[in-house]
Every structure is written in structure tokens, then in C-alpha cells.
Amino acid sequence: MKLVIGNQKTYLDLEAVEKFIDDTKNCKSAVMCPSSIYLDFYKNSSFELGAQNVSIMPNGTTTGEVSASQLQSMGVKYCLVGHSERRQMFKETGEDTNKKLQMLLTTDITPVLCVGETREERNAGKTNEIVAAEISEALTNLSQEEIEKIVIAYEPIWAISDGKNPAVIPTNPEIDEISVYIKDLVMKGYNAKVRVLYGGSVNMKNIDELNKVDTCDGYLVGGACIKPEDFGYVIDSVYKL
Ligand code: PGA
């Protein structure tokens, strides 16, 4: 079945988190990545636990960080790595994504590596080149067995909702093409089979159409995952497949 992962970013404060969990108690299962300070609240929700980020360091003298081991101890099953907001706003590098994957691979948390190009890069015909470079940096020195534990989320930066402009997303043939490209790349380069998700403005209006792309193994959902009706529809649409 396709995997659905919600990324709540820092959209919600405590009261809204409690209301959201209550409003989604009858939701079918998906993964939810809340802010790490709210992970405990989600333990009794209908969702599997995910995290939005992880430290490059093990437990110790790293003020303000959350380590892979700490996430594991909270019951986290998935963790995003290299989200474009981390790369762009917090200057996370390819080397950082590699270190984060290595930390997560010491636990049983499934890493979700995010890759994707900017609008300018796409217009310059560089989508595949950017995606290949981000994947190769992230997978440096990882074994075939380790790579097969990783899920890759293709998230074109230009399609990620900014909360203002109406969503423009790739067409189904474009999502199909990049999903196949990523799978082939990882198979040829590392002899490893990976799942590829699509992310960027997925919502109740486009999910039925997106579901027609067989080569795409699921979705990373941002803005729509804080709206119970919207996220519930996305999950139901995937379950119906
Ligand atoms: P969006 O975000 O669904 O709001 O576009 C996706 C993401 O940033 O993971």
C-alpha cells in the first residue's frame, strides 16, 4: 500500500494539536511528523509517529538538538532528512543529510530522504542532475542493505505550498518519470531498491488524480495534514486503491 506521511512543520500550538488529535481519532492509519515537542501527545493518536528532523550527533553535549536515539525511545518510526526547508533556511548540507541518515540507521527508524529542485533549476533542465547529486551526497558510504531501509521523497521546491499561492504541481507523467528515474538511479548505483514518495501541495483536490501514478509509492503531505477533513480524505483515497 502507498505510504502517507504528514509533516506538520511548526503550524500548530498545543491547543490546536490536542484538537487535531481529537478530530482525527477515527482516521485510518498514516504517519504523522509533528513538532518533536508534541511527539508524546501523538502516542495516543491514530497515527504512527514520525519526526521532522534529527541531530547529526549522538546523545551528549548538543544543546537544542534531538538525537536519533531519543526519537527511537519515543517510539518514532519514520524521520524526515534533508527537507528543502532545512536545506534552504538552515543551510543543511549534503554531508549533513548523510550524517543524519547514518545516525538513523543505528536505530530502527525509517529515514525519509527529501530531494527536489527549485523552479530555476527546473527551468534550466537540471531536475535530474540536482536530484541525483542530492541522492549521491546523502547515500555516501552507505551499504546496499542500509539504502534499502531508506524511503526517498521527491519534493520539487516550487510545488511546496507557501500558504499563499494556489498549488502548481507536476503532472502525473512528470511524477512517473522522476519516480522511475530515482528508482533506476539507486538500483544502478547501489543495487538497492527504494520506495519513492511525491510531496508538494498534495491535498484532497488532487489526491485521486495523483493516485493514478503507479510508480509513486506514497505522499509527503504538509499543509493539508493539519486539516482533519483534508488529510482524512487523502488517507481514505489511498486506502481505496
Ligand atoms: P505542502 O508541504 O504539502 O504544504 O506543499 C509538503 C512538504 O513540505 O513536505
Side-chain angles (χ1 to χ4, degrees):
M1 200 177 87
K2 290 192 193 231
L3 179 63
V4 178
I5 305 180
N7 169 15
Q8 294 192 324
K9 309 190 181 186
T10 53
Y11 284 127
L12 307 178
D13 287 338
L14 178 57
E15 211 177 307
V17 164
E18 288 178 321
K19 182 168 180 347
F20 179 85
I21 290 172
D22 197 45
D23 289 346
T24 51
K25 58 177 181 290
N26 297 322
C27 229
K28 292 202 179 71
S29 187
V31 178
M32 184 59 84
C33 306
S35 298
S36 56
I37 55 167
Y38 298 132
L39 280 170
D40 205 33
F41 292 82
Y42 277 85
K43 276 190 177 162
N44 294 320
S45 74
S46 49
F47 304 110
E48 268 201 282
L49 283 186
Q52 299 175 15
N53 190 22
V54 64
S55 175
I56 60 171
M57 304 288 286
N59 289 4
T61 52
T62 48
T63 303
E65 292 292 296
V66 178
S67 72
S69 154
Q70 288 176 319
L71 292 176
Q72 165 143 286
S73 72
M74 289 297 287
V76 166
K77 299 286 184 238
Y78 292 82
C79 181
L80 309 185
V81 170
H83 189 282
S84 57
E85 288 158 14
R86 304 255 7 126
R87 293 180 194 259
Q88 291 194 320
M89 290 184 225
F90 303 99
K91 308 292 170 233
E92 198 165 293
T93 64
E95 199 181 333
D96 293 332
T97 60
N98 176 250
K99 286 186 187 151
K100 290 181 181 203
L101 291 178
Q102 298 205 32
M103 289 310 306
L104 290 170
L105 289 164
T106 65
T107 69
D108 59 13
I109 299 171
T110 301
V112 181
L113 171 67
C114 304
V115 297
E117 82 288 1
T118 62
R119 166 66 67 198
E120 294 69 39
E121 289 162 347
R122 184 177 195 84
N123 291 345
K126 290 188 173 163
T127 300
N128 290 4
E129 191 185 317
I130 296 293
V131 164
E134 288 182 339
I135 290 176
S136 127
E137 285 165 349
L139 302 188
T140 305
N141 292 329
L142 300 187
S143 68
Q144 177 210 16
E145 200 189 333
E146 288 173 323
I147 293 169
E148 293 207 329
K149 291 184 184 149
I150 298 170
V151 175
I152 297 183
Y154 169 64
E155 293 209 302
I157 296 168
W158 51 272
I160 294 179
S161 61
D162 58 7
K164 292 180 226 128
N165 299 317
V168 183
I169 67 169
T171 62
N172 278 4
E174 286 169 339
I175 296 174
D176 175 59
E177 194 185 320
I178 194 82
S179 303
V180 171
Y181 173 75
I182 292 172
K183 288 178 193 198
D184 283 352
L185 184 86
V186 178
M187 183 48 81
K188 285 192 192 117
Y190 310 89
N191 199 24
K193 197 166 177 263
V194 285
R195 281 183 288 172
V196 177
L197 313 183
Y198 167 73
S201 297
V202 175
N203 59 41
M204 64 194 290
K205 295 204 185 96
N206 54 29
I207 187 67
D208 293 321
E209 187 59 24
L210 286 169
N211 273 335
K212 294 178 188 160
V213 186
D214 292 335
T215 50
C216 169
D217 303 302
Y219 309 99
L220 182 50
V221 185
C225 88
I226 57 166
K227 301 175 195 146
E229 192 201 352
D230 214 329
F231 197 48
Y233 187 96
V234 168
I235 298 168
D236 284 346
S237 172
V238 166
Y239 265 81
K240 270 191 241 139
L241 293 176

